Amino acid sequence: MGENRRVIVVGAGISGLAAARELTQRGYEVTVLEGRDRPGGRTVSVDMGGSMVDLGAAFIHGVEGNPLSAIVKEMGLTPVPFEQCTLYQSDGWPADIREDRRVERIFNDVLERCHQAAVQHLEQRGRSFSDATAASREPAPGLSNTIGSGGSRRRPASTLKPSAGATAATAAAAGAASTPSGNGAAADGAVDSRNGVHSTVAAATGAAAGVEPAQPQRILPGRLDELLAQEGKSLLSGLSKGEQQLFNWHRGNLEIACGADLSELSAVHWNQDDRYQYEGDHVMLREGYGCLVKALSKRLDIRYQAEVKVIKLDTTAVKGVQATTADGRTFDADFLVCTLPLGVLKARAVRFDPVLPQAKTDSIRALGFGCLNKVVMLFPTVFWDTMDFIGHAADTRGQWVLFADLSRMTGQAVLVAMTGGPFATSIERLSDSGILQQIMAVLKRIYHKVPEPVKVEISRWKSDRFARGSFSFIAPDATAKDYDTLSEPLCDGFGVPRVLFAGEATTRYHPSTTTGAWLSGLREAMRIDMLVRPTKHKEPFDPDCVYDCSIRFPRVPHSERSPFTGAPSPCELKLTAT
């Protein structure tokens, strides 16, 4: 590839920063184009009484083996586990723990029935679950880790380990808070970039021939809410009014974690990433994600307020790639890494020339992009029972059902109200005072004497034109294969990948998380380096390969293991400082 060392990275979110840092350390000339006036994307921290609180991405989901945990440790940041939760009913009285545990078991049972019914539906249509999921080597995750049993980040109660005094339902929150980094979702080393069964060679062949490979017919299992109503009908008929409220709380909590109403979720694929989650505590950073972003963006060439509107690929491979910003500036490079959020791609806010392949546009359309909003409140004093999370079984499902208590972590009287899905989107049309009025009504039902907050910060991720939402999810028309398709690069006329894609919505293994964003950025950096400097690598690029890196040192040895077999990855590299 000669001296093809100029790279444009579109977006300074976690994935963009990961790609830019790795390529810069490897000697590439990297320019990051960011539409905002700050780095971080859907990761942003706000000052609340001297403490930084995350308005977007907030959690590291599972600290054991998580590459972000290693970076946090290396930087000397402070991870704080969140797991305790108290659940209140709509009248303000604490929920009976035994009653809630019974309802939780029913909720888990219904989810398991939904999964089995959805798989049966696929089999009746002539498709196996693994076919619909995509990679044949990837066994069906099922719902073995249902809420309360230590399952996925996406299922609130399963995200954290409930203590003896907390209901499993309670802990839920951790998953919910995650992403507007990604949840902020989104939010940013080495790659656990196992997101593809596609190959550069195959993509190049198709591009050179000018023919799009035939796409298999989508045979899908339907919506989660429909199956929930069908499978839960008999179980729910005997519940009292109070128990029905608790059931709805679990449902609403799940919708917060997914950032979407259950009607928007695939009945079988909504939790497909569960088996790839990291073990250990789910933690927030005492210093806020903003501190991490600041460190990652140091010494990078980031052009702020440079909103990219056109990405042009020269298919003759003479000029490479060109990005044009809203103010008419043009930037030329040999490669371009696009880290635009899925919501921005859905809105077609950026024009690709030539147009994106049909398969990629189909996946952009099919995947969902959820919304999780936060209202961060600083009060003059702590008036609530200190507990990591406070659950509220509202009369209307999904409306202010979860609060995070940050008082012990920050030393300030900070309470964060979280809401996801359609309700999170609907409140964005309200004024700040209108939103606060709703929240104060809930708090006053529980605590009666509630002072007015001295400072309030409110996110509106759906209205943010640089985000247009919080994080991705698998909708009824999608499968995990769509994450793979979204990650596939665009090649020039000679089959060389020139436009590459990163971000939480390009990895089936850790979607909607900052970890997924970080790993995807490193995946694409490695793809470029293996293409430009093949003799420096023992193996060719493999999107399933696991890499590791350090924020302070360009290369460090690692001993990651394959997520599929537990054995050392066949592409494992021993990277040494250069």
Side-chain angles (χ1 to χ4, degrees), residues 128-190:
S128 69
F129 174 80
S130 60
D131 289 337
T133 301
S136 59
R137 62 181 168 181
E138 193 171 289
L143 280 172
S144 57
N145 289 326
T146 52
I147 296 185
S149 63
S152 153
R153 172 198 65 74
R154 292 211 172 184
R155 285 194 308 274
S158 65
T159 59
L160 303 175
K161 303 172 184 176
S163 66
T167 66
T170 68
S178 99
T179 303
S181 103
N183 263 143
D188 295 88

Side-chain angles (χ1 to χ4, degrees), residues 306-379:
E307 180 182 3
V308 172
K309 300 300 291 184
V310 181
I311 294 175
K312 184 176 182 179
L313 168 64
D314 179 11
T315 55
T316 67
V318 175
K319 297 182 180 179
V321 187
Q322 184 179 83
T324 303
T325 59
D327 57 7
R329 287 177 291 168
T330 59
F331 297 83
D332 298 297
D334 302 298
F335 303 95
L336 182 147
V337 181
C338 176
T339 71
L340 294 171
L342 176 59
V344 174
L345 295 175
K346 281 179 170 291
R348 299 185 179 182
V350 175
R351 179 168 64 87
F352 289 84
D353 181 12
V355 297
L356 294 176
Q358 187 62 48
K360 192 177 288 287
T361 57
D362 286 346
S363 291
I364 290 172
R365 175 197 56 79
L367 286 169
F369 198 59
C371 183
L372 190 156
N373 276 320
K374 298 180 181 179
V375 179
V376 182
M377 299 165 288
L378 173 64
F379 289 93

Side-chain angles (χ1 to χ4, degrees), residues 85-90 95 100 103-104 107 147 156-157 167-173 242-256 389-394 396-403:
C85 182
T86 299
L87 180 59
Y88 292 88
Q89 293 189 301
S90 61
D100 178 51
V103 173
E104 182 188 13
F107 184 73
I147 296 185
T167 66
T170 68
E243 289 172 330
Q244 288 176 353
Q245 283 185 343
L246 294 176
F247 186 92
N248 282 335
W249 184 88
H250 285 276
R251 171 172 172 162
N253 199 24
L254 175 58
E255 291 173 338
I256 287 180
F389 295 102
I390 300 168
H392 171 242
T396 303
R397 177 174 51 83
Q399 296 189 7
W400 309 117
V401 299
L402 198 60
F403 297 82

Side-chain angles (χ1 to χ4, degrees), residues 48 375-379 384 403 413-417 436 439-440 443 453-457:
M48 303 298 288
V375 179
V376 182
M377 299 165 288
L378 173 64
F379 289 93
W384 57 87
F403 297 82
V414 176
L415 201 60
V416 181
L436 185 60
I439 295 173
M440 293 294 284
L443 293 176
V454 297
K455 185 175 182 179
V456 178
E457 294 282 354

